[in-house]
Amino acid sequence: SFGATSSLHLLPPLLEKFARQHPLVEVQIDEKADCTVIQWLLERRVELGFVVLPDERFEVVPLAQDELVAVLPASHALAARSAIAAMDFHGQPFIRTAAGSGLHIDQFLAAHGAQPRTLFRFEQLASMLGFVARGHALAIAARLALPDAPPGIVYRSLAPPRVRMTALAALKFERLSPAAQAFVALAKSQARNMAFSLPHTA
């Protein structure tokens, strides 16, 4: 699992139903950065992992559509806008986090030539939110990974929107252990029920 999107939103309902159907199977979860999850899947260190699509290296079960959002101090001038363009970040103090989506954030900014001033690099979203709330910098994060906006912070959509799809992945579903195959079958049956509507970004 690569963070809050999968750990908090996708895994709990799957694990609860899987435990009822297969009470003797023990599921072990490791949470790492998304790049580590991909590496472990490729190295066959884990059977299943969550990835962000597209990724042609794996067989996948798409589970949730998410979007990147701007994370802004409520007092910042950009907070008055309904959507934030990449160039709005250009030259602004910026926070990068290892909590995931880094590659997708970089691609969004680079595609429009935006170069924010990265002053902070944090492992945890909580650290990022604390610095944004105090007005020290701006950030971008996946909406499903974020809590409801705490005091002093607003979330705004990006312009153009940067959508991402999270999926359960394996190198080959047919080569998984019986327990892992059962988990994939459950994910496939639940996929339609797990389509999340994104929380409002205001």
Side-chain angles (χ1 to χ4, degrees):
S1 172
F2 61 68
T5 299
S6 50
S7 298
L8 295 181
H9 293 281
L10 299 180
L11 273 173
L14 284 173
L15 290 173
E16 289 165 11
K17 189 159 188 178
F18 189 77
R20 290 196 298 269
Q21 294 179 356
H22 306 279
L24 300 181
V25 177
E26 181 180 75
V27 180
Q28 298 179 355
I29 306 295
D30 287 298
E31 187 177 87
K32 295 290 183 181
D34 46 359
C35 58
T36 302
V37 174
I38 289 172
Q39 180 182 346
W40 283 3
L41 283 167
L42 293 172
E43 294 174 352
R44 302 181 188 275
R45 292 179 60 181
V46 297
E47 289 199 275
L48 299 169
F50 288 99
V51 301
V52 175
L53 301 181
D55 196 319
E56 304 299 328
R57 294 169 291 184
F58 306 110
E59 293 186 354
V60 300
V61 181
L63 290 175
Q65 182 171 294
D66 196 358
E67 69 171 335
L68 297 180
V69 295
V71 183
L72 310 172
S75 59
H76 198 282
L78 290 175
R81 301 187 186 179
S82 60
I84 310 301
M87 285 305 294
D88 291 328
F89 294 95
H90 187 75
Q92 294 274 2
F94 195 72
I95 299 172
R96 294 188 185 273
T97 173
S101 301
L103 175 62
H104 304 280
I105 294 169
D106 291 343
Q107 289 173 342
F108 170 76
L109 295 169
H112 301 277
Q115 296 183 356
R117 292 185 294 121
T118 300
L119 302 182
F120 310 98
R121 296 180 185 273
F122 294 129
E123 292 290 322
Q124 303 294 330
L125 280 172
S127 302
M128 179 193 79
L129 292 172
F131 271 64
V132 172
R134 289 172 176 80
H136 294 309
L138 317 181
I140 298 174
R143 182 62 186 91
L144 284 178
L146 293 166
D148 291 339
I153 292 178
V154 296
Y155 304 145
R156 295 290 183 260
S157 296
L158 298 179
R162 184 76 182 193
V163 175
R164 71 173 197 170
M165 178 68 74
T166 301
L168 186 67
L171 283 175
K172 289 287 183 183
F173 287 150
E174 64 183 19
R175 297 180 184 173
L176 296 174
S177 67
Q181 287 182 351
F183 195 87
V184 170
L186 174 63
K188 288 179 177 178
S189 71
Q190 294 295 295
R192 290 178 188 153
N193 301 328
M194 295 178 69
F196 291 102
S197 19
L198 292 167
H200 197 274
T201 52

